[in-house]
Amino acid sequence: MSFLKSFLIRAIYAIILLIAVLVLNFSLMHMAPGDVADTISQSMGGADAELLAQIRSDYGLDQPFLVQLGNYIGKVLQFDLGYSFFYNQSVTSLILQKLPATLLLVVTAQILALLIGVILGVYSARHPNGISSHFVTFLALFGYSAPVFWTGILLLIGFSLNVHWFPVAGMRDVTVEGGFWPHFVDIVRHMVLPVITLGSIFLALYSRLSRATMMEVLGSDYVRTAKAKGLSEREVVYKHALKNSLSPVITLAGLQFSAVISGAVLVESVFSWPGLGTLAFQSIIARDTPTILGILFFSALVVIVGNLLTDLALRFVDPRVGGKG
Amino acid sequence: MQHQWEEFNLKHLVKGLVAATALASVLTASVVTAEEPKRGGTLVTVLGANPRSLNPAVQSGIVTGYPGAQLFAAPLRYDEDWTPQPYLAKSWDVSEDGLKVTLNLVHNATFHDGHPITSSDVAFSVKVIQENHPFKSMFAPVTSVDTPDEHTAIINLSKPHPALMLAMSGQLMAIIPEHIYGDTDNVKAHPRNNKDVVGSGPFKLVEFVSGEHVILERYDDFFIEGRPYLDKIVMRVIADPAARAIALENGEVQMSGFEALPRIVNRLKKVETLTVTSEGYGAIGPLDWLAMNTGSDGPTGNVKVRHAIAYAIDKNFILKALMQGTAVEAKTGIHPDSPFYEADVENYALDLDKSNALLDEAGYPKNGDGVRFDLTIDFGWPGVKPQVEYVKAALKKVGINVTVRASADFPTWAKRMGAMDFDLSWDTVFNWGDPVIGVHRTYLSSNIGKGVWSNTQGYANARVDEILGMAGTETDPEKRKALYSEFQKIITQELPVYWTNALPYHTVYSDKIGNPPLGVWGTSSPIDMVYLKD
């Protein structure tokens, strides 16, 4: 099957999937009792029945379900994600406004976790019974099992409160003046704790997985052959074994990347990071249907694109994938 | 004996020290004199949620109120003692019959774009608030606003309306520019509610990034000479109370209002550089209570059952264990800080025997398992789960089997309350200034079942309706007070809700802050007098 053809088929599936995601999410949101008019009245300290009715008619919430659904799908097909009830702006602009902060956080955490995780994994695979290997295992399991909001608050208490090394919340200090560098340093300082918190989950996954695959590969025939040829340990590990042990890690990284938002929701909330996670959390609380649907739609899009990219990356690392036969 | 002598000596020493310190402070005070407010500086403060809109004329609520009261001026402001003070109106006059309220505006006031603030802007603002603001009762009796000249606005009323005074202050009556907002019928959706705001208050908008921050800057042509003292205010949106507390502790944030978590309030009280106070919430008037479905055919419809429930609940436990000493007791539907509060009412101190007897009397004997009947209890947000669990445990002791019904989120709960589909529920309701605005709505029979925070209990008492009708139009403060006193005595007898405590709202500010906002409106009023010490 040619690459193009398989790509096209997948793209068609993706579109069907996206519409299904929309319909399902819209129906689920609709089934929940209450609506955004209630949260708007909450934010206002109460409203009478007349005003509630007015809010509902303003946002078309008084129309029959199928009409609302049809209107929504129609709009999305024209690339219009609608208008946020709660933030009083268009959902697309809201998402685009929050996206850079989330990307910055998630991509940085991912890259660091991937690099450090693979290094730790390879190291502990080479010395599987050493103390330091056990330490890596412990660290990884701890990072994976500790809830992020707990790790986050703990880091805050340690490094923002006890020693004032890092700021508590947000992405930047708006009182910082000056050109590029002061702002750059400011953002980096704000990033440290959330990146560590978010990265600790990914790190655990990568280091455990690369340790396992590396140990498997190190025990295989061709590695023994390479050793028998008289290649140095270093050459065997990094030239022969590593490349082969990487493909599961890349698959995982791709899948994890798709979880951009799910992973970031809690971390962003703890650190008041102004990204999509915080937005998702707040709009769920506010029952801001267009924003929630917009974010879910966007997440679905990221998952699908992420899978496609993972596929491409695997072809690159492992020529057998997607080949004939 | 020796011990006594030591103590005596120590007392002397302490007295001497106190005297010396007092003398020293008198001396230094005479040198420095009362601290002079200082111009300049940036105040970093927080908002606990993202404001939907910065325009208080169309959006109520405390997160809009804080930036809103800085951006927009109201005709009046209130001090700590509930006394109205001139603000945009330099003086005002209420006619003999109470049907005309004349506002004389200051002459030098301008909007942030330089346009003069005139009486027609006042008339326009009243109209916009009447059409869009959720508190319809504020300006309901206003029939028209006359504008005989640029600086005189006469508010005509269909009946005397003493609540108007508080409704003209704080965040409730923002004067907005007609030349900006007059171009549409739907001011609620006006794009300039959130950006390029042209206000009338002490600070103008620099930037509002939704979910991140609101940045305000001193308006140099503000109509009060020399104010505001601050150059800039940065309001950061930090939703997590723990993160806000840490930011206050390490000095990243210098002031925060509406902190209500007892654990956090008590922790911050221990921080040397911070002052924590519950002053400044009298007008907002937040009350916690146990709502009981009074209109129900079930047990809660019986007043004896409601009394029995009150007797079975130990308010002291709520105040000491759940609120950890941060909240004051509430006895009635009016906030304890309000001038209309009546403290001499039935109090329902814990008495399980009485509770049991009342339930027997009401015709609900215990069955073989010691259970009289089943009730449900609802709650709308996770913060009040401890109260709800406590009520369940407390009522079990008198044979009432309570099932806790959790709601997935606020709308789910609001729907149940609005439809009066509940037996018991925990609720938090704000007085919002005058009782006419935030108190009447819970007890008037004409307001039954009109959505969340209406009379969701289904309470109806003809005398209460009558008293509230009279109190709403009574212009004599003493007579008004007497009416509200009678009202509070009746509702505490009939218990449509059982009030437990005032919500423990606290303002936290660093020792660098001078003149913190402690008037009855707290941070929902202009902070033009706040300054930063050296």
Side-chain angles (χ1 to χ4, degrees), chain B residues 72-92:
Chain B
F72 296 96
L76 307 178
R77 63 203 289 171
Y78 270 72
D79 64 5
E80 292 84 346
D81 306 318
W82 297 85
T83 317
Q85 306 283 340
Y87 190 29
L88 201 50
K90 62 182 176 194
S91 63
W92 60 93

Side-chain angles (χ1 to χ4, degrees), chain B residues 301-316:
Chain B
N302 185 327
V303 69
K304 283 183 181 160
V305 171
R306 298 199 297 275
H307 284 175
I309 289 174
Y311 279 119
I313 291 171
D314 185 5
K315 266 196 209 179
N316 272 326

Side-chain angles (χ1 to χ4, degrees), chain A residues 37-38 41-42 45-53 56, chain B residues 410-411 413-422 427 429 441-442 446-458:
Chain A
D38 294 313
S41 85
Q42 178 194 24
D48 58 10
E50 197 186 317
L51 188 68
L52 285 175
R56 292 200 172 100
Chain B
F410 181 83
W413 175 80
K415 195 100 203 155
R416 283 180 183 166
M417 294 302 284
M420 294 167 69
D421 162 30
F422 73 102
D427 203 348
V429 181
R441 57 179 172 170
T442 312
S446 57
N447 203 29
I448 290 176
K450 301 243 171 105
V452 70
W453 295 324
S454 64
N455 181 350
T456 45
Q457 288 66 244

Side-chain angles (χ1 to χ4, degrees), chain A residues 12-285:
Chain A
I12 291 166
Y13 280 151
I15 289 168
I16 296 172
L17 195 64
L18 276 176
I19 292 175
V21 163
L22 279 179
V23 174
L24 191 70
N25 287 332
F26 195 92
S27 314
L28 283 174
M29 290 298 301
H30 196 85
M31 278 157 65
D35 58 32
V36 73
D38 294 313
T39 48
I40 289 175
S41 85
Q42 178 194 24
S43 79
M44 298 195 296
D48 58 10
E50 197 186 317
L51 188 68
L52 285 175
Q54 195 199 330
I55 294 170
R56 292 200 172 100
S57 84
D58 282 354
Y59 295 130
L61 296 172
D62 51 351
Q63 290 173 10
F65 170 67
L66 285 178
V67 175
Q68 287 187 46
L69 177 66
N71 285 346
Y72 184 73
I73 303 281
K75 269 197 205 156
V76 174
L77 291 179
Q78 296 162 44
F79 302 104
D80 176 6
L81 291 179
Y83 191 80
S84 161
F85 305 149
F86 208 79
Y87 290 90
N88 278 322
Q89 54 176 302
S90 97
V91 172
T92 315
S93 80
L94 204 54
I95 290 178
L96 291 179
Q97 189 189 329
K98 304 292 177 191
L99 183 63
T102 295
L103 282 181
L104 184 66
L105 177 67
V106 176
V107 171
T108 315
Q110 277 281 357
I111 291 175
L112 284 177
L114 190 59
L115 280 176
I116 299 172
V118 168
I119 292 169
L120 288 180
V122 170
Y123 174 83
S124 61
R126 288 175 67 189
H127 315 93
N129 295 312
I131 295 242
S132 42
S133 165
H134 287 306
F135 180 71
V136 168
T137 308
F138 168 77
L139 202 70
L141 289 178
F142 184 80
Y144 188 63
S145 48
V148 285
F149 51 87
W150 184 77
T151 325
I153 291 283
L154 222 60
L155 286 172
L156 276 178
I157 292 173
F159 296 103
S160 297
L161 185 60
N162 293 350
V163 290
H164 296 197
W165 290 356
F166 303 111
V168 177
M171 192 175 84
R172 57 204 156 114
D173 179 353
V174 282
T175 57
V176 166
E177 313 250 327
F180 175 77
W181 286 108
H183 286 287
F184 179 80
V185 171
D186 179 50
I187 289 180
V188 169
R189 283 187 63 233
H190 279 85
M191 277 174 69
V192 174
L193 296 183
V195 163
I196 292 176
T197 311
L198 186 59
S200 67
I201 323 169
F202 299 137
L203 181 71
L205 291 173
Y206 296 141
S207 67
R208 291 300 294 166
L209 188 66
S210 52
R211 179 179 188 266
T213 54
M214 193 67 182
M215 281 174 76
E216 196 189 314
V217 170
L218 283 178
S220 63
D221 290 343
Y222 73 92
V223 168
R224 208 176 320 127
T225 312
K227 279 186 184 162
K229 281 201 302 189
L231 294 178
S232 74
E233 173 85 12
R234 183 171 290 269
E235 237 175 324
V236 173
V237 171
Y238 291 104
K239 254 192 163 164
H240 294 255
L242 184 61
K243 205 173 172 187
N244 284 313
S245 68
L246 268 187
S247 59
V249 178
I250 288 174
T251 313
L252 183 71
L255 291 175
Q256 285 297 315
F257 191 77
S258 325
V260 168
I261 293 145
S262 59
V265 168
L266 287 171
V267 177
E268 287 191 5
S269 299
V270 169
F271 292 95
S272 304
W273 191 261
L276 281 181
T278 305
L279 182 67
F281 183 68
Q282 285 173 351
S283 44
I284 288 169
I285 300 260

Side-chain angles (χ1 to χ4, degrees), chain B residues 201-255:
Chain B
F203 293 92
K204 54 186 186 182
L205 183 70
V206 177
E207 186 185 45
F208 170 37
V209 181
S210 181
E212 272 188 69
H213 56 243
V214 179
I215 301 177
L216 307 174
E217 192 178 60
R218 181 179 201 270
Y219 177 48
D220 290 326
D221 294 325
F222 183 53
F223 57 87
I224 301 176
E225 188 65 36
R227 299 223 207 114
Y229 296 130
L230 295 166
D231 280 342
K232 208 172 174 186
I233 305 175
V234 175
M235 297 179 171
R236 296 173 56 186
V237 178
I238 306 181
D240 186 59
R244 279 204 303 277
I246 294 175
L248 282 160
E249 278 182 77
N250 76 6
E252 260 179 68
V253 164
Q254 292 132 18
M255 188 166 87

